[in-house]
Amino acid sequence: MLAQLSAHAPFPAVGFAVFSVVWLVATVFWLWMLVDCLTTKRVAGIEKLVWVVVLLFSHVVGAVLY
């Protein structure tokens, strides 16, 4: 039984590595959209405030919507 468990040990590490890379890319994209929203002149006033709140509370989903 122990031999079977150790044979599958590398796969969780690979899954964690893939998850970490995807999370890092998503976070960088989210930060990019947040900075863009804060610095652009296309969006102004209350609309900018609403987008910043949406981006802050919905992370990647808000970044994709923006």
Side-chain angles (χ1 to χ4, degrees):
M1 182 77 169
L2 189 57
Q4 290 176 341
L5 290 175
S6 64
H8 298 290
F11 294 114
V14 171
F16 179 73
V18 169
F19 173 77
S20 296
V21 169
V22 169
W23 179 82
L24 181 65
V25 169
T27 301
V28 168
F29 177 69
W30 172 74
L31 282 171
W32 180 21
M33 291 299 105
L34 184 61
V35 169
D36 181 69
C37 182
L38 290 171
T39 59
T40 189
K41 294 188 190 303
R42 289 183 295 122
V43 182
I46 194 73
E47 186 179 2
K48 183 178 279 196
L49 178 65
V50 169
W51 273 117
V52 168
V53 169
V54 167
L55 287 167
L56 287 175
F57 287 109
S58 63
H59 200 258
V60 176
V61 174
V64 170
L65 290 175
Y66 175 72

